[in-house]
Structures are given as structure tokens and as C-alpha cells.
Amino acid sequence: MLFSLLFSILNYSNAPVHTSAPLNYVRASENKYDNGYSEDRYNEVLELIKTIYSPLIQDRNGSFHIMSDWSDGAVNMWAWKWGSEYWLEIPGGMARYHLINEEAFVLSICHELGHLLGGAPGKDPISYEGQSDYFASLKCMKRVMPQLKPLVKLQSSPEVKEACEDLSHVKTGVCERTLEGALRLRSYYAELEKALKPSLLTPSLSIVSTTMNAHPPAQCRLDTFYAGIECSADINEPLDFSDIGLGACEGEEKGSRPRCWFYN
């Protein structure tokens, strides 16, 4: 039986406080591992993810499983595939961490799903890190956000408002919510790299000569989340390992995979 295990480790325990918009909920305490997010809402989000993705995975002759534990304080998530079983492990610690809003929590789940459903580039059946980021905003957030009513109304930052202008193919609010989540995650990535905080206004100028399989730099990851939102490919067209162009944008097309991690 095939067993492919991929750890997408997001160890954010030492991340600094960087905010781009208000938290999506009132902090219950000054404990950085308790932002006030509720167990009921955590379960509601996971149930929605299962409802949306179970039928899509069944279409692949697979079964979808989420291992959840609200009491587990790990600020982390994992994804793996075992035969025809598609698994996510989602501790409650990620949802409760003080720098995470709901959109960042869902975007992280979507990234993990991207390892299982993101297609090429990757090592079948697991997609590379950059491709998982691309899937997260290209397919997953566009499916989930319209079905998840915001916990509170987001106040989008100026850079998000500018980035979301003229993206008529994206349902109202999906671009803003996705990018606000991405901006929350950016500070984690930057802290891990000891790098400057990325911005939607300063895309990476790096060009790789071979596709990266590990996590791209923080700015490149933010660029990738934006590329996925910007791409107008049909969300119902799946990504695949046999055809890297299927269900995605390619080459010089707007919303194609950024060249800071992808080479073709």
C-alpha cells in the first residue's frame, strides 16, 4: 500500500506581532495561544471543509478524513495520503494562535489540501510547497469562502483593496478575505527566515532555474497566493500530475505560477 507523508511544518511560536487588519474576533485573553476563537467555530469550519471536499475526493475513488483535536495546542498542520485515504491533521492550536485570523486558518487548511489535490509540480501523489500555496488560493479559497460567512466584517488594508481591483472573476469578498489571510501568514514566514515582511506591492524579482520543492521565500509565497486569486481558470477543472497546465494559468498569462519558485 502506498504511503506518502508530507509534513508542512508551520512552526510559528516565535513569530512577531505584525498586523494588517483587525483580528476577526475579540481576543479572550492576553495569552498568545488564545485569540478567542471558539471550539464550535473550529468544528464548523472543519465540517464545511469535509462537506465540500469529500465528494471531490470520492470522484478520485478516495476517502477524506480530518484528524481534529481542539485541545492540541500545536500551531501546525499536516497532510498525508495512505492508499486511497486522504488525511489532514488539524490541531486547535493553529486556530487559536493570536496572530491567526479565520481567513489565515482556512488558507492554511487549503494549503494542506493542496499537497493532496494540487497536482504538478510535485512527486505524485504529493504536490510541492509552492504548488500547494497556488492550489490554496486558485481553487480552495474560491470554493470555501463563499460558503463561510465572515465571523466579523473585515477591514481590508489599502494594499489588499488595490490588489483585488478588477478581478471580476472572483466572487465578492473572496479576494479580500484570501489576501487578508495571506497577509497574516506572511509575518510567520518572514520571521522564520529572519527576513523583511513581504508586501503585495513588492513582488519577488527572483527567477529560479529549477522548480523548488521546499517552501519558497516569504515574499514568493505571498506572490503565489495572489497569483492563485488572480488566475481565472475554472475552479471545477482539477489540477493534475499528467498535465501541468490543466486547471491553471500558464506562461505569461495573468495568474500563472510565479517564477520565484516555478520553472517550466
Side-chain angles (χ1 to χ4, degrees):
M1 179 179 291
L2 174 65
F3 176 69
S4 297
L5 176 63
L6 181 100
F7 290 93
S8 291
I9 298 175
L10 306 175
N11 182 4
Y12 301 145
S13 59
N14 296 317
V17 177
H18 291 305
T19 58
S20 58
L23 282 170
N24 273 7
Y25 31 84
V26 177
R27 186 181 298 181
S29 73
E30 292 305 312
N31 182 348
K32 69 179 182 179
Y33 298 105
D34 179 11
N35 59 17
Y37 200 70
S38 73
E39 182 177 1
D40 285 345
R41 183 67 171 188
Y42 164 83
N43 289 326
E44 180 183 343
V45 167
L46 298 191
E47 187 58 36
L48 176 60
I49 296 291
K50 287 185 69 175
T51 299
I52 292 172
Y53 276 97
S54 287
L56 298 177
I57 290 174
Q58 287 171 6
D59 288 345
R60 297 171 176 242
N61 298 314
S63 58
F64 183 36
H65 310 270
I66 296 179
M67 187 184 301
S68 62
D69 184 353
W70 174 252
S71 65
D72 187 340
V75 186
N76 207 335
M77 293 183 190
W78 297 268
W80 68 93
K81 186 169 183 285
W82 193 341
S84 63
E85 297 178 0
Y86 294 68
W87 283 89
L88 298 182
E89 182 176 355
I90 305 175
M94 174 64 83
R96 296 195 302 271
Y97 195 62
H98 74 122
L99 297 182
I100 292 292
N101 62 8
E102 183 164 81
E103 286 70 26
F105 175 53
V106 176
L107 186 59
S108 296
I109 297 172
C110 285
H111 168 88
E112 295 304 323
L113 274 167
H115 284 302
L116 305 176
L117 302 174
K123 188 174 182 180
D124 194 0
I126 299 297
S127 300
Y128 290 157
E129 297 293 344
Q131 181 65 9
S132 299
D133 286 341
Y134 191 54
F135 170 90
S137 55
L138 173 66
K139 305 292 186 182
C140 184
M141 293 294 279
K142 292 173 185 175
R143 287 186 185 278
V144 176
M145 287 293 99
Q147 300 186 56
L148 183 66
K149 184 177 180 179
L151 208 51
V152 298
K153 185 178 180 180
L154 276 178
Q155 299 178 17
S156 295
S157 59
E159 64 180 305
V160 166
K161 291 179 181 179
E162 181 177 340
C164 291
E165 286 180 353
D166 303 322
L167 296 185
S168 59
H169 64 279
V170 184
K171 291 183 179 180
T172 302
V174 172
C175 178
E176 290 81 0
R177 294 176 71 189
T178 299
L179 294 184
E180 288 297 347
L183 290 177
R184 288 302 184 92
L185 293 178
R186 67 180 176 173
S187 296
Y188 298 128
Y189 307 150
E191 172 67 6
L192 291 174
E193 297 172 15
K194 299 183 176 5
L196 294 175
K197 184 170 64 174
S199 169
L200 290 166
L201 305 178
T202 58
S204 175
L205 300 178
S206 298
I207 298 177
V208 296
S209 57
T210 185
T211 296
M212 297 179 65
N213 59 10
H215 289 108
Q219 180 65 58
C220 185
R221 298 192 71 179
L222 183 60
D223 297 347
T224 304
F225 286 132
Y226 180 59
I229 277 291
E230 193 177 33
C231 178
S232 60
D234 187 349
I235 66 167
N236 294 311
E237 186 174 23
L239 299 168
D240 194 79
F241 277 100
S242 63
D243 183 352
I244 203 165
L246 187 67
C249 294
E250 289 191 280
E252 299 303 317
E253 188 178 2
K254 188 162 77 169
S256 60
R257 299 169 180 88
R259 297 173 71 187
C260 54
W261 70 266
F262 177 70
Y263 179 83
N264 189 18

